[in-house]
Structures are given as C-alpha cells and as structure tokens.
Amino acid sequence: MSRMTMIEAIRSAMDVAMGRDDNVVVFGEDVGYFGGVFRCTQGLQQKYGSSRCFDTPISELGIVGAAIGMAAYGLRPCVEVQFADYVYPAYDQIVSEAARLRYRSNGEFTCPIVIRMPTGGGIFGGQTHSQSPEALFTHVSGLKVVVPSNPRDAKGLLIAAIEDPDPVIFLEPKRLYNGPFDGHHERPVTPWSRHSLGEVPDGHYATPLGQAEIRRHGSDATILAYGTMVYVAEAAAEETGIDAEIIDLRTLLPLDLDAIVASVSRTGRCVIVHEATLTSGFGAELAALVQQHCFYQLEAPIARVTGWDTPYPHAQEWDYFPGPARVGQALRDVMEA
C-alpha cells in the first residue's frame, strides 16, 4: 500500500495499464511533455515514449474522434479532456459514434475508450471550469459513467474502465484531487495522506463497475451521493446528529440499484445530493427509481439537494455549491415529514 493523492492514484492506474498492455495509449491537450494541467499524466511520456503518451491540438472533437478510430482498430485509448466543461464539441462523436459502435456493427466492433474529465466546482473556476455534466452521458445508451470519490477507488475504477470493452466516461471531481472536501471552505484542507482512503494498493487491481459502497452505516435515512458530495453528506450527518446511511454510488452507469433499494427499504427516507443543476439532473432518475422500487417503504417524500438552475457563479461559489447546511436541512425535513 502507498499513500497517494487522487492525482497520483489516477496516474498510477494509467501507468499500470500501459505497462500491462501495449495497446493502451494516453493523449490529450498538454498531457505529454507537460504532464497535464493537473499533472495526472506526469512522467508517462518519459516512461513510455511519445507514441504512447502525446499531446494533441486544442480540439476535443479531434481527440475523441481519433480515439474512436484507434479503438476500432484495436487500441485502448485513455484520453483527457482538460475540463468537463470543454467536452461539448466532442459530444456528437461520443453519442453518435462511440456509444453506438457495438450496436451498429452488430458486435463486430467495440469501442474500448476512456474519456477522463475533471468535473465539479469548489475551486472558483466559474461557469466554464466548474460544470457537472454527468446527466448528459447517463442519458446515452452504450456509455458507462464513473465518478470516484477517493484515491483508492479512482485507481481501481480507472483500471477497470481502461480494461472495459465499451466506452467509459470517467469524471474526476477536481476538488478532491488533493484531499477530501466536506463543503466547509473556511477550514484548512485535509490531505489524502491523513485519510484512510488515501491508502492505495500498489500494482494492478480493478474495482468492478456498477458496485456502490456504503460509506456510513445508519438507520434514520439514506443519502445517495457521489464524488465530492459524499464528504458533504458525511459532514451533514455528523452536524445534525441524524443517523444517516451514506451510499457512494461510484458508478452511475451501470447503477447499483440493489444497494440503493436495500438501504432505502431499511431506512424509509431518502436524500439525494449532487453538484449538478436540479432540473433533469441525475438525481431525478434516482428519485424515480427509489419511488418505483421503495414506494411502500417510504416514510417521507424524497428530497434532492443540488446546484441551482443557473450557470455556475464565480462570486457566489458557496451559495451555489450544495454544502452541509443545505444537506442537513434536507435531512431534518425528511425526518420531520
């Protein structure tokens, strides 16, 4: 075991995958010589050469389009889009080509690509460096969507994603790169070196896609969260004194519905938390599934705590960001309903 930040864990996953399989290639804007804007690919070009880890022009459409062609040819590209906010020019390639290739070729071709993207806010990135577009991808048949919340999961899930035969959208909460964040921006940052989930196994291991993890056992209510919101949920439970069970979804597609149903059926109450905007956010899908499968066990209406239906503001970052006070109020509301 080694102590790692999420950046180091992601780098380790790509290093392990590239070492095991010569078909794994890594590319994107500034990922080669520079090592990526967050340094997630630092050292990979020096170790594996410029034909397996290289820089591209500033063209997300070109990055993803080239990756799809390489995948059809037999390679396994793991590409970086510098911020999730930049992915929109590549959206047609992802939806119309990558997600459909297996179906449209009747299984003759697959598209084993991973598209890595830093996501979410909490860094004063403003409207073009803070978005959470996961719902745009969970709506698309043929894609898998992953959102890790810690270094240990990030490495295992990324290795599993690279080894998967189908396209995976791998969303990395950038506020968690260097440590867990509970929404209390006024407090000192806790590094991963002081958190148990900063202990990462060395070498190869794969965390199966589609398996949620219970981060906190409880009996009063269930909180469904992913990414940064897992730690916000933990803070809210501690500060309210409500014995909430917190489920870290880890992968949104495939979704671990069994874990969700088991927890909500036991607690009878459900709070859903994500950074993305409220309307048509992934929380709406979660709420519909909980209502469908846990209707007779629910003791209160399902609550959602999310970003607001506005562009992500710079000056009002912490009014937009779903913090522990808002999650705590939702917990109190479902307990009093």
Side-chain angles (χ1 to χ4, degrees):
M1 301 281 280
S2 299
R3 286 282 181 179
M4 296 184 189
T5 65
M6 189 180 286
I7 291 170
E8 292 167 337
I10 288 165
R11 183 191 307 142
S12 178
M14 289 185 280
D15 186 11
V16 168
M18 294 175 80
R20 287 167 59 92
D21 186 352
D22 291 341
N23 288 319
V24 177
V25 293
V26 173
F27 57 94
E29 298 165 15
D30 296 324
V31 306
Y33 177 81
F34 191 60
V37 67
F38 292 104
R39 301 299 189 271
C40 288
T41 56
Q42 191 170 44
L44 295 181
Q45 186 177 84
Q46 290 88 333
K47 184 172 183 178
Y48 295 103
S50 58
S51 64
R52 294 191 62 202
C53 180
F54 54 89
D55 298 322
T56 67
I58 301 174
S59 172
E60 287 75 22
L61 183 151
I63 293 167
V64 174
I68 294 168
M70 290 179 176
Y73 190 77
L75 298 178
R76 287 184 174 270
C78 179
V79 303
E80 178 181 304
V81 172
Q82 203 167 79
F83 286 87
D85 315 62
Y86 300 168
V87 75
Y88 304 116
Y91 193 68
D92 179 52
Q93 289 290 318
I94 296 169
V95 174
S96 301
E97 305 298 336
R100 312 288 193 235
L101 188 57
R102 178 189 286 274
Y103 178 81
R104 74 194 300 177
S105 69
N106 198 28
E108 185 174 348
F109 293 98
T110 59
C111 192
I113 69 172
V114 177
I115 303 172
R116 294 181 39 248
M117 295 181 277
T119 188
I123 65 164
F124 288 100
Q127 62 180 347
T128 56
H129 297 80
S130 305
Q131 296 174 53
S132 298
E134 62 271 11
L136 297 178
F137 301 107
T138 57
H139 188 66
V140 180
S141 301
L143 298 178
K144 296 175 182 177
V145 181
V146 179
V147 189
S149 69
N150 59 79
R152 186 182 301 171
D153 282 352
K155 180 177 178 179
L157 289 167
L158 183 52
I159 290 173
I162 293 171
E163 295 176 347
D164 198 274
D166 293 304
V168 179
I169 305 298
F170 197 88
L171 296 165
E172 302 164 5
K174 65 179 84 70
R175 192 60 177 80
L176 300 182
Y177 271 153
N178 292 303
F181 179 62
D182 63 6
H184 285 291
H185 59 92
E186 73 282 1
R187 297 177 182 174
V189 174
T190 300
W192 283 117
S193 60
R194 291 166 52 191
H195 195 285
S196 61
L197 292 174
E199 292 187 356
V200 180
D202 299 315
H204 177 275
Y205 70 96
T207 301
L209 305 185
Q211 291 186 9
E213 184 78 12
I214 298 176
R215 295 295 174 202
R216 184 187 191 278
H217 291 272
S219 59
D220 288 344
T222 298
I223 303 178
L224 305 180
Y226 49 91
T228 308
M229 293 298 105
V230 170
Y231 304 99
V232 173
E234 288 179 344
E238 180 180 349
E239 291 166 17
T240 59
I242 293 172
D243 188 23
E245 182 152 285
I246 300 170
I247 296 183
D248 181 353
L249 298 179
R250 303 200 292 188
T251 60
L252 310 186
L253 280 181
L255 181 68
D256 191 350
L257 183 59
D258 289 344
I260 294 171
V261 171
S263 179
V264 177
S265 295
R266 185 173 60 255
T267 66
R269 293 172 172 83
C270 182
V271 175
I272 298 165
V273 189
H274 60 65
E275 278 189 70
T277 51
L278 175 70
T279 302
S280 298
F282 190 65
E285 180 69 19
L286 293 172
L289 288 169
V290 170
Q291 179 74 3
Q292 177 184 353
H293 293 277
C294 306
F295 178 78
Y296 292 106
Q297 288 77 39
L298 286 171
E299 302 290 343
I302 301 163
R304 286 187 288 164
V305 183
T306 72
W308 306 116
D309 285 339
T310 69
Y312 206 113
H314 182 270
Q316 291 82 34
E317 174 103 24
W318 306 119
D319 293 320
Y320 183 96
F321 189 90
R326 286 173 57 194
V327 178
Q329 185 58 54
L331 280 172
R332 285 188 287 269
D333 289 345
V334 298
M335 293 305 298
E336 294 168 3

